[in-house]
Amino acid sequence: MVKDRAIFPLLEEFLSIFPAVGILGPRQVGKTTLVKNLNLDREAFYIDLEKASDRLKLSDPELFLKTHQDKTVILDEIQFMPELFAELRSLIDENRVPARFILLGSASPDLIRNSGDSLAGRIGYLELPPFTVQEVDQMDTLWLRGGFPLSFLASSERVSLIWRENFIKTYIERDLGMLGLNTDPRQVEKFWMILAHAQGSIWNGDGISRALGLTRPTVNRYLEFLEGSFMIRVLQPYHDNIKKRLVKSPKVYIRDSGILHALAGIKALEELQTKMLVGASWEGFVIEQIINCLGDAYQYFYYRTHQGSECDLILVKSGKVMVAVEIKNSLAPKITKGFRISMEDMQAAEGVVIYRGGDDFPIDQNINVMGLKSFIQKYTP
């Protein structure tokens, strides 16, 4: 069962404030379906900029858009015509009303850069992630298949896997090029496979560049594009006012667990449980769910010292560590000494161990064991 998308209330608020609202996210995440299901105060006019016929309509954008100034104009795949931003700025300044434009984009760095320069103060941005545990009931299915709608809702595990394998192929061979990364698709595929088998590891750009026979700047560019298109999560280390030798390189995760499992060739949940990847997969899944559900309410980091103290995820607010999180793929989790030390180092307000079970209970002073859903419910603002 799929519930309403959690983004709806905030999207409606943005549409009541901003003349333009940008909804960013990877392809096939449901952006178009989302906006077509909105109940807008104005009539909506939809333009798909991936279609040559629709781009032709905008050969004179000022003339065309002014004929629809009484409507909410939805511009899908806006990265195909970044030159529109300058025109949108002029039109908004002439007639500044809320919800005049809705821009949908696949998180192109060019899109972000152009819109940031030309529509500052006129646009509000939202990210639409894949399905989250707030939106679906079957958490194990969500973990295995990931949250892309056509993967999660597929009629069988086989159909879901076939969809994800083809998504990966199309993304590498076509979509990255359209986002601006013009390179050998085989090298990008190898890069993504390396990241999959090192899920949640400390970023080692030098090692990866040697493995691929590429320069360090090229590998960094791959990472930048995959992060910019919401396919990779780069989790930065926490080091504020800590007088210890800390690991200062980021950790890297493939954001969607279903894409991770397809890259690793995992077909079923039973198979996943037997793989060494299972712990890293669960860790990445939990981190992604927390960040997508809690959003801008916190800043997110990990913590690790060279002496071995570590914490999988830290929730920071106003410069203070509110929650230190340890993630365990277990029904009987135990607290490590390193987790206790890390809490003391950061002066964390409280600690939580997120495990595979559903019951919540205290396990130590100021440390609780919680299921993922109850954690998200407790810390959602």
PDB file of all heavy atoms in Angstrom, residues 35-54:
ATOM      1  N   VAL A  35       2.947  16.358  -9.653  1.00  0.00           N
ATOM      2  CA  VAL A  35       2.361  17.654  -9.993  1.00  0.00           C
ATOM      3  C   VAL A  35       1.037  17.501 -10.739  1.00  0.00           C
ATOM      4  O   VAL A  35       0.154  18.359 -10.624  1.00  0.00           O
ATOM      5  CB  VAL A  35       3.346  18.523 -10.800  1.00  0.00           C
ATOM      6  CG1 VAL A  35       4.576  18.842  -9.979  1.00  0.00           C
ATOM      7  CG2 VAL A  35       3.735  17.871 -12.103  1.00  0.00           C
ATOM      8  N   LYS A  36       0.871  16.419 -11.480  1.00  0.00           N
ATOM      9  CA  LYS A  36      -0.389  16.217 -12.180  1.00  0.00           C
ATOM     10  C   LYS A  36      -1.530  15.877 -11.221  1.00  0.00           C
ATOM     11  O   LYS A  36      -2.703  15.992 -11.590  1.00  0.00           O
ATOM     12  CB  LYS A  36      -0.239  15.122 -13.235  1.00  0.00           C
ATOM     13  CG  LYS A  36       0.570  15.586 -14.452  1.00  0.00           C
ATOM     14  CD  LYS A  36       0.605  14.540 -15.548  1.00  0.00           C
ATOM     15  CE  LYS A  36       1.303  15.078 -16.801  1.00  0.00           C
ATOM     16  NZ  LYS A  36       1.354  14.080 -17.897  1.00  0.00           N
ATOM     17  N   ASN A  37      -1.188  15.485  -9.987  1.00  0.00           N
ATOM     18  CA  ASN A  37      -2.210  15.180  -8.984  1.00  0.00           C
ATOM     19  C   ASN A  37      -2.463  16.344  -8.033  1.00  0.00           C
ATOM     20  O   ASN A  37      -3.227  16.206  -7.079  1.00  0.00           O
ATOM     21  CB  ASN A  37      -1.795  13.949  -8.170  1.00  0.00           C
ATOM     22  CG  ASN A  37      -1.912  12.664  -8.973  1.00  0.00           C
ATOM     23  OD1 ASN A  37      -2.743  12.567  -9.872  1.00  0.00           O
ATOM     24  ND2 ASN A  37      -1.086  11.690  -8.658  1.00  0.00           N
ATOM     25  N   LEU A  38      -1.837  17.490  -8.292  1.00  0.00           N
ATOM     26  CA  LEU A  38      -2.055  18.661  -7.441  1.00  0.00           C
ATOM     27  C   LEU A  38      -3.415  19.299  -7.718  1.00  0.00           C
ATOM     28  O   LEU A  38      -3.872  19.337  -8.867  1.00  0.00           O
ATOM     29  CB  LEU A  38      -0.962  19.701  -7.691  1.00  0.00           C
ATOM     30  CG  LEU A  38       0.440  19.404  -7.148  1.00  0.00           C
ATOM     31  CD1 LEU A  38       1.425  20.446  -7.662  1.00  0.00           C
ATOM     32  CD2 LEU A  38       0.434  19.376  -5.622  1.00  0.00           C
ATOM     33  N   ASN A  39      -4.017  19.812  -6.665  1.00  0.00           N
ATOM     34  CA  ASN A  39      -5.233  20.620  -6.819  1.00  0.00           C
ATOM     35  C   ASN A  39      -4.831  22.089  -6.775  1.00  0.00           C
ATOM     36  O   ASN A  39      -4.742  22.706  -5.715  1.00  0.00           O
ATOM     37  CB  ASN A  39      -6.231  20.300  -5.700  1.00  0.00           C
ATOM     38  CG  ASN A  39      -6.792  18.910  -5.805  1.00  0.00           C
ATOM     39  OD1 ASN A  39      -7.132  18.452  -6.898  1.00  0.00           O
ATOM     40  ND2 ASN A  39      -6.897  18.214  -4.674  1.00  0.00           N
ATOM     41  N   LEU A  40      -4.570  22.639  -7.949  1.00  0.00           N
ATOM     42  CA  LEU A  40      -4.091  24.021  -8.046  1.00  0.00           C
ATOM     43  C   LEU A  40      -5.244  24.999  -8.149  1.00  0.00           C
ATOM     44  O   LEU A  40      -6.322  24.664  -8.647  1.00  0.00           O
ATOM     45  CB  LEU A  40      -3.182  24.170  -9.267  1.00  0.00           C
ATOM     46  CG  LEU A  40      -1.888  23.325  -9.251  1.00  0.00           C
ATOM     47  CD1 LEU A  40      -1.251  23.308 -10.631  1.00  0.00           C
ATOM     48  CD2 LEU A  40      -0.918  23.871  -8.214  1.00  0.00           C
ATOM     49  N   ASP A  41      -5.013  26.223  -7.656  1.00  0.00           N
ATOM     50  CA  ASP A  41      -6.032  27.273  -7.761  1.00  0.00           C
ATOM     51  C   ASP A  41      -6.162  27.776  -9.195  1.00  0.00           C
ATOM     52  O   ASP A  41      -7.208  28.287  -9.589  1.00  0.00           O
ATOM     53  CB  ASP A  41      -5.674  28.448  -6.839  1.00  0.00           C
ATOM     54  CG  ASP A  41      -5.729  28.066  -5.368  1.00  0.00           C
ATOM     55  OD1 ASP A  41      -6.498  27.136  -5.040  1.00  0.00           O
ATOM     56  OD2 ASP A  41      -5.008  28.673  -4.567  1.00  0.00           O
ATOM     57  N   ARG A  42      -5.097  27.637  -9.977  1.00  0.00           N
ATOM     58  CA  ARG A  42      -5.099  28.091 -11.358  1.00  0.00           C
ATOM     59  C   ARG A  42      -5.092  26.886 -12.283  1.00  0.00           C
ATOM     60  O   ARG A  42      -4.653  25.796 -11.911  1.00  0.00           O
ATOM     61  CB  ARG A  42      -3.840  28.938 -11.635  1.00  0.00           C
ATOM     62  CG  ARG A  42      -3.762  30.214 -10.824  1.00  0.00           C
ATOM     63  CD  ARG A  42      -2.301  30.622 -10.559  1.00  0.00           C
ATOM     64  NE  ARG A  42      -1.523  30.854 -11.760  1.00  0.00           N
ATOM     65  CZ  ARG A  42      -1.344  32.041 -12.324  1.00  0.00           C
ATOM     66  NH1 ARG A  42      -1.927  33.103 -11.786  1.00  0.00           N
ATOM     67  NH2 ARG A  42      -0.611  32.182 -13.402  1.00  0.00           N
ATOM     68  N   GLU A  43      -5.572  27.079 -13.482  1.00  0.00           N
ATOM     69  CA  GLU A  43      -5.497  26.023 -14.485  1.00  0.00           C
ATOM     70  C   GLU A  43      -4.031  25.726 -14.788  1.00  0.00           C
ATOM     71  O   GLU A  43      -3.199  26.625 -14.843  1.00  0.00           O
ATOM     72  CB  GLU A  43      -6.217  26.462 -15.759  1.00  0.00           C
ATOM     73  CG  GLU A  43      -6.214  25.419 -16.867  1.00  0.00           C
ATOM     74  CD  GLU A  43      -6.845  25.928 -18.144  1.00  0.00           C
ATOM     75  OE1 GLU A  43      -7.488  27.007 -18.109  1.00  0.00           O
ATOM     76  OE2 GLU A  43      -6.684  25.257 -19.193  1.00  0.00           O
ATOM     77  N   ALA A  44      -3.690  24.444 -14.971  1.00  0.00           N
ATOM     78  CA  ALA A  44      -2.304  24.054 -15.225  1.00  0.00           C
ATOM     79  C   ALA A  44      -2.086  23.799 -16.702  1.00  0.00           C
ATOM     80  O   ALA A  44      -2.958  23.282 -17.408  1.00  0.00           O
ATOM     81  CB  ALA A  44      -1.956  22.804 -14.421  1.00  0.00           C
ATOM     82  N   PHE A  45      -0.894  24.177 -17.176  1.00  0.00           N
ATOM     83  CA  PHE A  45      -0.490  23.924 -18.560  1.00  0.00           C
ATOM     84  C   PHE A  45       0.844  23.206 -18.519  1.00  0.00           C
ATOM     85  O   PHE A  45       1.826  23.736 -17.999  1.00  0.00           O
ATOM     86  CB  PHE A  45      -0.387  25.238 -19.337  1.00  0.00           C
ATOM     87  CG  PHE A  45      -0.100  25.055 -20.799  1.00  0.00           C
ATOM     88  CD1 PHE A  45      -1.129  24.798 -21.695  1.00  0.00           C
ATOM     89  CD2 PHE A  45       1.192  25.122 -21.281  1.00  0.00           C
ATOM     90  CE1 PHE A  45      -0.867  24.617 -23.046  1.00  0.00           C
ATOM     91  CE2 PHE A  45       1.472  24.942 -22.625  1.00  0.00           C
ATOM     92  CZ  PHE A  45       0.428  24.688 -23.512  1.00  0.00           C
ATOM     93  N   TYR A  46       0.916  22.001 -19.064  1.00  0.00           N
ATOM     94  CA  TYR A  46       2.087  21.133 -18.938  1.00  0.00           C
ATOM     95  C   TYR A  46       2.910  21.118 -20.222  1.00  0.00           C
ATOM     96  O   TYR A  46       2.371  20.951 -21.322  1.00  0.00           O
ATOM     97  CB  TYR A  46       1.628  19.709 -18.601  1.00  0.00           C
ATOM     98  CG  TYR A  46       2.732  18.689 -18.528  1.00  0.00           C
ATOM     99  CD1 TYR A  46       3.507  18.552 -17.377  1.00  0.00           C
ATOM    100  CD2 TYR A  46       3.002  17.855 -19.610  1.00  0.00           C
ATOM    101  CE1 TYR A  46       4.519  17.609 -17.306  1.00  0.00           C
ATOM    102  CE2 TYR A  46       4.023  16.904 -19.553  1.00  0.00           C
ATOM    103  CZ  TYR A  46       4.777  16.793 -18.395  1.00  0.00           C
ATOM    104  OH  TYR A  46       5.773  15.860 -18.335  1.00  0.00           O
ATOM    105  N   ILE A  47       4.235  21.303 -20.074  1.00  0.00           N
ATOM    106  CA  ILE A  47       5.160  21.257 -21.204  1.00  0.00           C
ATOM    107  C   ILE A  47       6.282  20.286 -20.864  1.00  0.00           C
ATOM    108  O   ILE A  47       6.967  20.440 -19.843  1.00  0.00           O
ATOM    109  CB  ILE A  47       5.754  22.645 -21.514  1.00  0.00           C
ATOM    110  CG1 ILE A  47       4.651  23.666 -21.754  1.00  0.00           C
ATOM    111  CG2 ILE A  47       6.685  22.573 -22.725  1.00  0.00           C
ATOM    112  CD1 ILE A  47       5.167  25.076 -21.935  1.00  0.00           C
ATOM    113  N   ASP A  48       6.489  19.289 -21.723  1.00  0.00           N
ATOM    114  CA  ASP A  48       7.558  18.310 -21.539  1.00  0.00           C
ATOM    115  C   ASP A  48       8.733  18.709 -22.428  1.00  0.00           C
ATOM    116  O   ASP A  48       8.708  18.516 -23.644  1.00  0.00           O
ATOM    117  CB  ASP A  48       7.059  16.914 -21.907  1.00  0.00           C
ATOM    118  CG  ASP A  48       8.113  15.837 -21.681  1.00  0.00           C
ATOM    119  OD1 ASP A  48       9.238  16.178 -21.252  1.00  0.00           O
ATOM    120  OD2 ASP A  48       7.815  14.660 -21.935  1.00  0.00           O
ATOM    121  N   LEU A  49       9.776  19.265 -21.824  1.00  0.00           N
ATOM    122  CA  LEU A  49      10.894  19.794 -22.596  1.00  0.00           C
ATOM    123  C   LEU A  49      11.808  18.703 -23.153  1.00  0.00           C
ATOM    124  O   LEU A  49      12.745  19.002 -23.893  1.00  0.00           O
ATOM    125  CB  LEU A  49      11.699  20.771 -21.745  1.00  0.00           C
ATOM    126  CG  LEU A  49      10.926  22.022 -21.312  1.00  0.00           C
ATOM    127  CD1 LEU A  49      11.783  22.899 -20.418  1.00  0.00           C
ATOM    128  CD2 LEU A  49      10.435  22.798 -22.526  1.00  0.00           C
ATOM    129  N   GLU A  50      11.530  17.446 -22.822  1.00  0.00           N
ATOM    130  CA  GLU A  50      12.264  16.353 -23.451  1.00  0.00           C
ATOM    131  C   GLU A  50      11.735  16.085 -24.859  1.00  0.00           C
ATOM    132  O   GLU A  50      12.418  15.471 -25.681  1.00  0.00           O
ATOM    133  CB  GLU A  50      12.168  15.086 -22.596  1.00  0.00           C
ATOM    134  CG  GLU A  50      13.141  14.006 -23.004  1.00  0.00           C
ATOM    135  CD  GLU A  50      13.213  12.876 -22.002  1.00  0.00           C
ATOM    136  OE1 GLU A  50      12.418  12.863 -21.049  1.00  0.00           O
ATOM    137  OE2 GLU A  50      14.072  12.000 -22.184  1.00  0.00           O
ATOM    138  N   LYS A  51      10.523  16.556 -25.153  1.00  0.00           N
ATOM    139  CA  LYS A  51       9.916  16.369 -26.468  1.00  0.00           C
ATOM    140  C   LYS A  51      10.275  17.543 -27.382  1.00  0.00           C
ATOM    141  O   LYS A  51      10.096  18.708 -27.013  1.00  0.00           O
ATOM    142  CB  LYS A  51       8.395  16.258 -26.339  1.00  0.00           C
ATOM    143  CG  LYS A  51       7.921  15.020 -25.596  1.00  0.00           C
ATOM    144  CD  LYS A  51       6.447  15.070 -25.301  1.00  0.00           C
ATOM    145  CE  LYS A  51       5.612  15.170 -26.572  1.00  0.00           C
ATOM    146  NZ  LYS A  51       4.158  15.157 -26.266  1.00  0.00           N
ATOM    147  N   ALA A  52      10.771  17.228 -28.565  1.00  0.00           N
ATOM    148  CA  ALA A  52      11.159  18.276 -29.511  1.00  0.00           C
ATOM    149  C   ALA A  52       9.977  19.160 -29.873  1.00  0.00           C
ATOM    150  O   ALA A  52      10.123  20.378 -30.049  1.00  0.00           O
ATOM    151  CB  ALA A  52      11.751  17.643 -30.773  1.00  0.00           C
ATOM    152  N   SER A  53       8.780  18.573 -29.971  1.00  0.00           N
ATOM    153  CA  SER A  53       7.598  19.357 -30.340  1.00  0.00           C
ATOM    154  C   SER A  53       7.261  20.394 -29.280  1.00  0.00           C
ATOM    155  O   SER A  53       6.841  21.518 -29.607  1.00  0.00           O
ATOM    156  CB  SER A  53       6.399  18.426 -30.562  1.00  0.00           C
ATOM    157  OG  SER A  53       6.149  17.647 -29.399  1.00  0.00           O
ATOM    158  N   ASP A  54       7.467  20.037 -28.001  1.00  0.00           N
ATOM    159  CA  ASP A  54       7.195  21.004 -26.941  1.00  0.00           C
ATOM    160  C   ASP A  54       8.286  22.072 -26.864  1.00  0.00           C
ATOM    161  O   ASP A  54       8.006  23.245 -26.580  1.00  0.00           O
ATOM    162  CB  ASP A  54       7.057  20.291 -25.592  1.00  0.00           C
ATOM    163  CG  ASP A  54       5.656  19.721 -25.383  1.00  0.00           C
ATOM    164  OD1 ASP A  54       4.870  19.747 -26.353  1.00  0.00           O
ATOM    165  OD2 ASP A  54       5.344  19.260 -24.276  1.00  0.00           O
TER     166      ASP A  54
END
